[in-house]
Amino acid sequence: MASFIQTTVDSADALTQADWWAETLGWIVEPTDEAFVRSMIEQGYATDGDTVTHEGKLVWRGAAAITPADRIEERDRPRMLFQDVPEKKSGKNRVHWDVRTGEDIDQVRSRLEARGAAYVATHSQGPMSWHVMTDPEGNEFCIS
């Protein structure tokens, strides 16, 4: 039985999605070792077309991962990988993220909307309330 899973998110623009979610969660985009990328090109394992300059750094095209900064050295750390796919998102996600903020969810909602998220609905059950949102690519998530 596996002891670790990674959440992988199909994206239209993985690098931008990774940046957005890293900021949203207070995580970091995992750093890319530019020397390693260059060595893979020099050895013929990759081409310049497999890379792009993003935020001033040479990175792999079409994929980026995020993780909590304080756990970057852990092998089995929490991790979300964003990867480019050619097809557009269609329909409702069958899986979504519940982001527990510990803050006033109306204020969090406003900040997220200012950064490109969209509000969908508010729900409650007993004393708990949450907002359903979508990220800039339309992936559903909840804040509570």
Side-chain angles (χ1 to χ4, degrees), residues 1 14 17 39 70 73 75 82 84 105 108 112 114 122 133:
M1 185 73 183
Q17 277 289 90
S39 75
D70 63 345
E73 298 300 325
R75 184 175 184 273
F82 297 86
D84 285 354
I105 62 172
V108 174
L112 292 172
T122 300
M133 310 281 295

Side-chain angles (χ1 to χ4, degrees), residues 124-135:
S124 63
Q125 186 174 37
M128 296 297 300
S129 293
W130 61 93
H131 293 314
V132 180
M133 310 281 295
T134 58
D135 72 12

